[in-house]
Each structure stands twice: as C-alpha cells, then as structure tokens.
Amino acid sequence: MAAFLGALPGTVPPGFELDSTRNPKYEWGFWPYPVEGGMHYQGRRWGGSEVYEASKTFQSYGVKWSPFDQRNREELLKAVPQSHKDFLSGLLWVHEHKVWFPPSTASATATGQAEERRVIAVHAGLAAGKTEPQLEALRSRAVEARVLQPEFGRFEAFSGRGAVTRLPADLERNWALGASPGASARGGDSSRCTAAAAVDEPPVRSVLISGHHGYKHISDNGERVIIDTGGGTLAGDLEAVVVPSYTVVCHTTDDDRHRPWTSRNPQRKAKDLLLLEIPSGDMAM
C-alpha cells in the first residue's frame, strides 16, 4: 500500500529507477500505469492483483478497487489522509531491542547474572548468510539493497517463505565443549493457542522474532520465534510472545478459539480474552 501511494518507507538513492524493480518476465498481475518518479514493484503488485486483497483497503477508504482504471490510484490518494501516508512512510523495516535474560545454566560461561540479549523483530525473518549486511540494509531502509532481494523487487525479509524460517548460522549460540542447550518449548503445539510456551533459561545471544508465516513456532533453545497463528484471518488466534519469559498471550481460550474477536459480538464472553500479567522487564512482540 505504501509503495502504491508513493509513501514508500525507504530510502531511494538519486538516479535509482523504482520501475527497475519489476522483472521484465512479469507481464501481468500488477498495476501497469505510468507514475511520475516510478513505483516499486511491490506497490504495483499490491494495487494490481488480488493476492494482497487490496480491495478491502480501498473499500475501507470509501473507494472501489478498479485495477484496470488508471484513475483508481488518484482516487485512493485523495481518500487517504496525509497522517496515514506519513505513518506508512515512517515505518521501520526492523526493530532491535536489548532484553535482559536470566543466566543460562547451559552455557559454560554463565556468570550467574542476567545476560543482555538482542531481540530482532522483522516481518518474515532473515535469509541464510551473513546477518549484519541484511540488518544494515533494513535499518537504513535501503530500497536498492541486493542483499535483501535475491530476486530484485521481492524483499525476502518481508515476503519470503522457507528461506527465512530458520535462524541464520551467524546468530546461533557458540556452545562450549560438553555444553547442551537443555531447554525445550513447553506447550509447543503450533496448531493451538496456548497460555504459555516457556523456554527455561533461554541459551541465546540473539532472538529472531517474526510473523508472516501463518503458524506458531518456538525453537527448542528459544532463538527463533514465529508467532502468526492468526495468519490475517478471523478464524485464527491473535497472539503475541513475551520475552524473556516466552509466554504466548492470545485473544481466545482453547475451547472457544474460533469466535471472531470483536466487542460487538453479543455472544462474546469474558473468558474469550486471556489476560496475563506481564512480568516487569518483559517485552511483548
């Protein structure tokens, strides 16, 4: 949506052609009309195909989605408030946060004191290979960065699938000889909404958290978290993971998990919301 509206949340270097992000082999399935300054291919895909269900966004602004009408973009531009465009253009591509974890009994270097870890939150994940160049490009929101786009115009960190579900090797914990992670996810049934999926004393130096994939997964040592049981549908559970406790907070209980989450539902009961007291120092993602 942001790219379609010309509110791309990124840095476009001088002389860079946004229309160059479309692979010439793609001849349909995108919004084809000329735009002053060009448009990133992700924006053309959003506004010109049914994949991203743009019709619902158009409708929310009182505009009918007509991908074969060149005037359709101008209609949406007029309907979207400037404050919404400013919000979109200011979005970060990655969020990094320092969190203090309990000391790891599995690490040979454990000091018995809380350990500072880095939580990395990115929409889909990070690709295999060196992590820091990817993070540098994400921090600077570099539209032209090839390290983020094996296929130019498609950002793996935002729309990748199997290539970004694992933790990159250079983020993995370096274990001393004889050390064992010794931690496992409890309640880790990814098909159900559980009150807690805790990992005892998570032995990680970085925790990579993402959504996007339509399921829930917490690796045995807590270093890779995918939290997206909802998958953008009303039938799914809206969830968040709290670190460092690895508590999963969801909006329904197990016996009533498919009821739409809305205060306008007269059948909704108090137990539909699972409210947990988040410990001091924890952070919900």
Side-chain angles (χ1 to χ4, degrees):
M1 176 184 179
F4 186 78
L5 293 174
L8 188 69
T11 303
V12 181
F16 181 78
E17 296 288 340
L18 285 172
D19 283 326
S20 69
T21 57
R22 180 181 68 84
N23 191 320
K25 71 179 182 181
Y26 299 125
E27 299 180 351
W28 60 276
F30 59 89
W31 200 76
Y33 305 105
V35 175
E36 184 178 355
M39 183 188 295
H40 194 282
Y41 181 60
Q42 291 285 73
R44 292 191 177 278
R45 281 279 286 162
W46 181 85
S49 74
E50 296 181 351
V51 173
Y52 300 103
E53 300 183 352
S55 59
K56 296 180 180 179
T57 303
F58 273 77
Q59 184 180 8
S60 71
Y61 287 103
V63 179
K64 182 180 179 181
W65 181 56
S66 303
F68 302 109
D69 186 344
Q70 187 171 355
R71 298 168 297 178
N72 204 208
R73 179 174 179 267
E74 289 300 323
E75 293 170 347
L76 186 62
L77 279 170
K78 292 178 181 178
V80 176
Q82 185 60 45
S83 60
H84 292 200
K85 299 171 188 174
D86 293 341
F87 169 78
L88 291 170
S89 64
L91 289 173
L92 299 178
W93 289 13
V94 63
H95 178 73
E96 297 168 276
H97 200 94
K98 294 179 181 178
V99 177
W100 289 95
F101 280 75
S104 170
T105 57
S107 172
T109 61
T111 63
Q113 299 179 349
E115 301 173 4
E116 183 181 299
R117 307 286 167 78
R118 176 175 59 164
V119 171
I120 304 169
V122 62
H123 181 73
L126 297 173
K130 294 184 177 180
T131 299
E132 200 53 38
Q134 295 181 66
L135 290 175
E136 288 178 1
L138 289 168
R139 293 181 196 120
S140 61
R141 307 189 304 173
V143 172
E144 81 288 0
R146 287 282 184 173
V147 69
L148 299 177
Q149 307 168 78
E151 179 182 336
F152 200 49
R154 176 184 170 87
F155 293 93
E156 287 292 285
F158 304 147
S159 55
R161 292 294 179 183
V164 295
T165 56
R166 296 180 178 274
L167 187 77
D170 61 351
L171 286 183
E172 293 178 357
R173 180 77 173 184
N174 292 324
W175 294 100
L177 290 176
S180 170
S184 61
R186 292 199 299 266
D189 179 358
S190 61
S191 66
R192 298 181 63 80
C193 176
T194 55
V199 177
D200 292 332
E201 300 175 337
V204 293
R205 64 186 181 202
S206 292
V207 180
L208 177 59
I209 301 178
S210 72
H212 178 65
H213 298 283
Y215 61 86
K216 176 174 61 190
H217 167 73
I218 300 177
S219 63
D220 286 348
N221 57 13
E223 61 192 10
R224 182 67 175 101
V225 177
I226 296 172
I227 188 81
D228 186 37
T229 309
T233 67
L234 287 176
D237 296 314
L238 181 63
E239 295 182 334
V241 63
V242 181
V243 292
S245 65
Y246 286 87
T247 299
V248 174
V249 184
C250 62
H251 78 272
T252 60
T253 56
D254 283 344
D255 61 342
D256 201 8
R257 62 192 301 271
H258 292 296
R259 180 172 296 162
W261 186 74
T262 168
S263 59
R264 296 185 178 90
N265 187 340
Q267 302 300 320
R268 183 167 175 257
K269 302 176 183 178
K271 68 185 181 69
D272 291 343
L273 267 179
L274 177 62
L275 298 178
L276 298 179
E277 182 178 351
I278 298 177
S280 176
D282 275 12
M283 179 181 67
M285 301 296 289

